[in-house]
Amino acid sequence: MLELEAVSRAFGSLQALDKVSFKVQPGRLTGFVGANGAGKTTAMRIAMGVLSLDSGQVLFDGQPTTPQIAARFGYMPEERGLYPKMGVREQLVFFARLHGLDLGRAQRNADDLLERLGLTARAADKVEKLSLGNQQRAQIAAALVHDPAALILDEPFSGLDPMAVETVMGVLRDFAGRGAPILFSSHQLDVVERITDDLVVIAAGQIKASGATEALRERYAGSRYRLVLPAATASAGEALIAASPGVSAVSVERVGAGGGQTASCLRVNFDATAELAQRLLAESLTLGPVEEFGRVIPPLSEVFKEVIA
Amino acid sequence: MSDVWLVTEREMKTQARSRAFQIGTGLMVLIAFLAAALPGLLGGDSDSAEDHGTIGWVGPPGALAAALTGFEIVQLSDAAAARQAVIEGSVDAALVPDAEASGLGLTILAKEEAPDELLGALTLTPAVELLEPPRVSGIFRYMAGTVFAVVFFMIVMMFGQTAASNTVVEKQTRVIEILLAAVPARVLLAGKILGNAVLALGTVVALVLGLVAGLWVGGGASDLGRYGAQVGQALGAEGGLVGLLAEPLIWFAIFFVVAFVMFSALMAGSAATVSRLEDVGSVLMPTMMLAMIPYFLVIFFQDNATVMRWLSYVPFSAPIAMPLRIFVEGVPWWEPVVALAILIATTWLAIWVGGRLYSNSILRTGARTKFKDAFRSAA
């Protein structure tokens, strides 16, 4: 497990990180989200040991990290960096050996990753000859090539096309399956939503929320419900909601069935306590069948907005 | 240590594979070869040929004519015919009896300038004995001084700048963060310096081989050529010039490697304070000055024994001045040892300073880090 404990760091008068604490569990993909300048990159660089901290500590499996321990981590920096005039495979082998792998294992790992990331055909090419997307894949390979004990990836999905995003997600999932903790930052919340097990939200150098992604969404889901009634009972339903105390409709829509038909169903979003919502559901059922009823779990982007607000 | 070697290996491989390096080094060796060979090849037959020209002779050839070896003697009838032959060019010069002339009683007729070789052949020169002959005559001394200085300066600048610009490239392309995630900054710096030192020494060896080969090929007429022939022979045989050349060359190699480490540590350290290749030139200026001033001092003062003695102990000029003194005058064994000790101590200091600059500024991107700040604070 990778753990930041009350880590603070200032750049001049700017407090980039203020007592930041969070955990990255082994075998779990932890998404790290926050606005630009919130402190994600600073926190990741400190976790990697390429930046020093003012106070606090970084722990790996309960031990404070040393350069020797951090050397076993895999890292993808915010600003991409590979030797532009060096071959892709040669470069991966070099990085793997720099992390202490022997030549044979370094070569096997490099070939394996190139294959999985679809770069085998470009293995001998210089990095500068690759497209940006392929450079990005090579960068991910460079972070993974030495069988790291933990992974810290700064924006691994930026600049990738949807296919490549899938590929990289697959590689990261497999890697998490081996039991290593993975921390990655991203602005693509739809991607984060699909892939993360845990989430850490940072704003202005402070951790605003952290924990299992589903639990966070649940917590911020609030008391919004959604009810859809068929055309036959639409008008009656509308009247029912207007007459129910404690139920405040957020949106009431008549959704056409299409094809020029006048008949249309009723779709209502409303805020209410769980008890009142259940009562409304029961009353609706007395009118006729209910097409849809449930709590509205907001997309991550809304949770994010609410958390950092 | 194996990490240092990995970095060294990468540095050398990338460099050796770059077209610019291959062409640059090839050109330098070629120029060294030609510079050494051409004076010998082109220096002409002026004093090499046994045939010194054709001489017109009026009157019966006596003992004097027989003594003029290397000249072709042509019998001419009288002074008028001799005059004619010289003007026509059928003879290079003519000797005509002249009752009024003192000495030999001869006048030499020549067309445009006095025939030096004939005059020389007719002149009596007493033998000269030098009581304190220099080990090396003037032209070789000058040549050796220039070669040591030029080779040292050029190679240190070239590879020092390579180490510096590779440092900035790693910073600019951000590959440095990945590298630092794997190994400490001082390992990177050490590998970089070592890799370039090996390449630099290799280039020096190639240059020296080019020079020697050039001297050998050009061996023959001119002073340089004759020297080359001697070197060639000496390298083929034993003793002689080998002894004279080997000692300064070996010392040069030792001083060179240490001084290279000193300069490139400072250069790489300075370069780490900037983030763009365009800015490298200005931050290297202080180190360049340290290399350039001694270089010119040695070139200008190589005839001044006192200045040279001082320069041979100053660490920045010792790599040029000490081997030169060993070559020219020969020095007691302890002198280069002391100079080397001073150089090593200074190099240790340079590594400390360069390493500090490097470690403290290698991750600071953006504006140039001031030397003062980079030296003081931890990143």
Side-chain angles (χ1 to χ4, degrees):
Chain A
M1 183 168 65
L2 181 67
E3 206 174 338
L4 268 71
E5 224 178 62
V7 170
S8 295
R9 166 79 202 216
F11 295 107
S13 61
L14 175 75
Q15 191 66 38
L17 294 182
D18 184 12
K19 294 203 170 60
V20 162
S21 302
F22 63 86
K23 293 174 183 174
V24 186
Q25 309 279 356
R28 287 172 78 88
L29 278 160
T30 302
F32 194 20
V33 298
N36 292 326
K40 299 189 296 288
T41 297
T42 305
M44 293 177 120
R45 292 176 76 179
I46 285 175
M48 272 315 294
V50 293
L51 191 69
S52 63
L53 37 70
D54 296 339
S55 63
Q57 58 179 345
V58 180
L59 303 170
F60 183 68
D61 289 342
Q63 302 289 317
T65 51
T66 59
Q68 287 74 33
I69 292 178
R72 289 166 49 213
F73 298 174
Y75 180 45
M76 178 164 173
E78 175 193 34
E79 312 246 9
R80 307 303 181 223
L82 292 172
Y83 286 108
K85 295 194 186 301
M86 206 172 165
V88 179
R89 180 176 185 273
E90 188 190 6
Q91 189 149 189
L92 292 179
V93 172
F94 170 68
F95 286 134
R97 295 188 67 198
L98 210 53
H99 280 278
L101 266 61
D102 62 53
L103 181 62
R105 186 141 158 250
Q107 286 173 335
R108 274 198 305 281
N109 280 3
D111 289 337
D112 193 41
L113 275 168
L114 288 172
E115 171 83 43
R116 302 208 40 200
L117 289 162
L119 284 173
T120 305
R122 314 302 304 271
D125 291 2
K126 286 181 181 170
V127 168
E128 62 184 359
K129 303 262 192 244
L130 299 186
S131 67
L132 282 179
N134 279 340
Q135 288 188 14
Q136 179 87 337
R137 295 178 198 219
Q139 193 83 50
I140 290 165
L144 289 165
V145 73
H146 57 282
D147 296 331
L151 261 187
I152 297 180
L153 309 170
D154 207 342
E155 293 284 340
F157 298 104
S158 75
L160 292 179
D161 63 40
M163 290 300 294
V165 167
E166 295 300 323
T167 312
V168 172
M169 272 189 190
V171 171
L172 294 188
R173 280 236 158 278
D174 285 359
F175 194 79
R178 293 195 222 162
I182 302 182
L183 176 70
F184 76 96
S185 67
S186 182
H187 283 117
Q188 286 149 285
L189 293 173
D190 55 323
V191 173
V192 175
E193 187 158 25
R194 284 177 50 205
I195 190 176
T196 55
D197 303 306
D198 295 324
L199 196 65
V200 176
V201 185
I202 187 171
Q206 294 179 322
I207 299 299
K208 296 292 182 186
S210 69
T213 310
E214 279 315 308
L216 275 179
R217 284 176 64 188
E218 185 74 18
R219 191 189 316 158
Y220 284 90
S223 50
R224 184 152 303 168
Y225 294 83
R226 170 187 172 99
L227 176 69
V228 179
L229 299 178
T233 56
S235 303
E238 221 172 320
L240 175 65
I241 285 165
S244 301
V247 172
S248 60
V250 178
S251 66
V252 181
E253 297 169 287
R254 287 293 190 110
V255 184
Q261 287 177 294
T262 48
S264 52
C265 61
L266 175 74
R267 185 192 288 164
V268 185
N269 284 327
F270 63 92
D271 288 337
T273 61
E275 196 185 338
L276 286 175
Q278 291 301 327
R279 191 185 301 164
L280 184 65
L281 171 63
E283 286 170 3
S284 301
L285 282 167
T286 62
L287 300 174
V290 168
E291 283 194 350
E292 206 183 316
F293 174 84
R295 247 175 101 196
V296 179
I297 305 285
L300 205 51
S301 52
E302 285 188 17
V303 174
F304 176 66
K305 269 186 231 156
E306 242 179 281
V307 168
I308 67 169
Chain B
M1 197 56 216
S2 66
D3 288 345
V4 174
W5 177 246
L6 273 173
V7 178
T8 304
E9 194 188 352
R10 197 210 75 85
E11 195 78 13
M12 292 195 307
K13 258 199 220 159
T14 340
Q15 184 73 356
R17 262 183 300 186
S18 94
R19 189 75 57 192
F21 172 79
Q22 292 165 354
I23 294 176
T25 312
L27 268 181
M28 275 199 314
V29 174
L30 186 68
I31 289 172
F33 173 81
L34 290 178
L38 282 184
L41 291 179
L42 302 180
D45 40 24
S46 56
D47 55 347
S48 72
E50 290 299 299
D51 174 23
H52 291 315
T54 312
I55 304 297
W57 190 274
V58 177
L64 189 58
L68 290 174
T69 52
F71 295 92
E72 190 187 338
I73 308 290
V74 176
Q75 278 291 330
L76 297 168
S77 53
D78 56 16
R83 206 167 277 272
Q84 184 67 25
V86 169
I87 288 174
E88 281 172 2
S90 60
V91 296
D92 294 318
L95 282 167
V96 294
D98 185 346
E100 287 168 31
S102 57
L104 295 171
L106 291 168
T107 293
I108 296 173
L109 297 178
K111 201 170 178 180
E112 284 168 345
E113 48 185 296
D116 290 337
E117 284 161 7
L118 182 56
L119 282 172
L122 293 170
T123 309
L124 277 176
T125 313
V128 178
E129 186 192 356
L130 294 177
L131 296 179
E132 282 187 357
R135 281 158 56 98
V136 184
S137 70
I139 177 131
F140 305 143
R141 175 199 305 217
Y142 181 75
M143 195 182 78
T146 311
V147 167
F148 278 138
V150 168
V151 166
F152 176 77
F153 185 71
M154 196 167 61
I155 303 291
V156 164
M157 286 301 104
M158 203 169 119
F159 287 93
Q161 270 170 346
T162 307
S165 62
N166 284 356
T167 300
V168 180
V169 165
E170 281 172 0
K171 206 173 161 180
Q172 200 168 15
T173 58
R174 310 304 179 122
V175 77
I176 188 68
E177 283 203 25
I178 298 188
L179 296 173
L180 283 182
V183 290
R186 63 197 136 74
V187 168
L188 284 179
L189 183 63
K192 192 169 298 301
I193 291 173
L194 205 62
N196 281 292
V198 172
L199 284 176
L201 190 65
T203 307
V204 170
V205 169
L207 272 181
V208 169
L209 290 181
L211 274 176
V212 171
L215 289 172
W216 199 322
V217 169
S222 67
D223 283 344
L224 279 174
R226 263 202 293 278
Y227 185 56
Q230 274 178 301
V231 173
Q233 275 169 10
L235 287 176
E238 274 186 344
L241 259 170
V242 161
L244 206 55
L245 263 179
E247 204 193 342
L249 278 181
I250 289 169
W251 277 112
F252 179 64
I254 297 171
F255 274 92
F256 176 87
V257 171
V258 181
F260 180 84
V261 170
M262 172 178 72
F263 281 117
S264 53
L266 288 176
M267 286 166 101
S270 316
T273 61
V274 297
S275 307
R276 299 183 311 154
L277 268 180
E278 296 89 316
D279 299 331
V280 175
S282 59
V283 289
L284 290 188
M285 264 332 267
T287 318
M288 298 279 267
M289 282 298 153
L290 275 183
M292 217 183 301
I293 292 170
Y295 164 73
F296 283 118
L297 288 180
V298 170
I299 296 258
F300 291 142
F301 288 100
Q302 50 180 300
D303 288 332
N304 185 326
T306 318
V307 176
M308 283 299 282
R309 178 163 300 124
W310 280 104
L311 287 177
S312 67
Y313 284 101
V314 174
F316 307 109
S317 53
I320 313 175
M322 187 54 87
L324 189 57
R325 281 185 60 214
I326 295 173
F327 180 55
V328 171
E329 56 194 73
V331 297
W333 64 270
W334 56 267
E335 283 210 45
V337 174
V338 170
L340 186 63
I342 297 176
L343 177 62
I344 289 175
T346 317
T347 302
W348 186 84
L349 194 70
I351 293 174
W352 185 73
V353 170
R356 216 177 149 87
L357 288 177
Y358 186 89
S359 311
N360 285 347
S361 48
I362 192 68
L363 281 175
R364 293 195 198 180
T365 49
R368 173 182 165 184
T369 313
K370 286 192 184 118
F371 282 147
K372 203 175 60 186
D373 297 343
F375 190 73
R376 266 195 211 143
S377 67

